Amino acid sequence: MVWPRKLFVILLGGINALWFTLTEHQQIAGLTSDAPAPMLAKVMAGGSLAMWLLVILLGRLLPTFASTGGGSTSSTRSARSTQRSGGSKV
C-alpha cells in the first residue's frame, strides 16, 4: 500500500520543517549575504526537497496500486481475461 508510506514521508517532511524552523532558521537569519550557510542547513534543505519529491512520486503511484495491491485495475483484469478466453467479451 502506497498511501501509508506517503503519509509517513509527509510526517517526516513536517518534522524536518519544524526542526529547521526551531533550530537552524535563527542561525541563518543572522548571516550576512556573503556568508555560507551551515552544512546542517544545507543537508536539511536537500532532505526536504527529496522528501517532497518522494511525496509527489508516491502520489502519482496511488492509482497504480489502488485497492488491489498488485497494480491491476478492473479494466486490465478484464482485458487479460478476454485475451485468455480467446474471444471478445460482451
Side-chain angles (χ1 to χ4, degrees):
M1 296 206 322
V2 175
W3 66 269
R5 292 179 186 146
K6 180 180 177 180
L7 291 179
F8 178 71
V9 175
I10 290 172
L11 177 67
L12 286 179
I15 291 170
N16 183 36
L18 182 64
W19 182 22
F20 178 81
T21 301
L22 296 176
T23 61
E24 294 298 312
H25 183 265
Q26 295 169 353
Q27 292 178 1
I28 292 174
L31 292 177
T32 61
S33 60
D34 58 343
M39 182 55 73
L40 182 58
K42 291 178 182 180
V43 169
M44 291 175 76
S48 180
L49 285 172
M51 282 184 269
W52 293 118
L53 288 172
L54 186 58
V55 166
I56 292 169
L57 175 67
L58 290 172
R60 297 292 293 170
L61 288 175
L62 279 174
T64 305
F65 299 104
S67 74
T68 60
S72 175
T73 61
S74 61
S75 62
T76 57
R77 281 195 304 263
S78 175
R80 286 184 197 148
S81 66
T82 303
Q83 290 172 349
R84 286 186 195 136
S85 66
S88 63
K89 191 171 185 176
V90 179

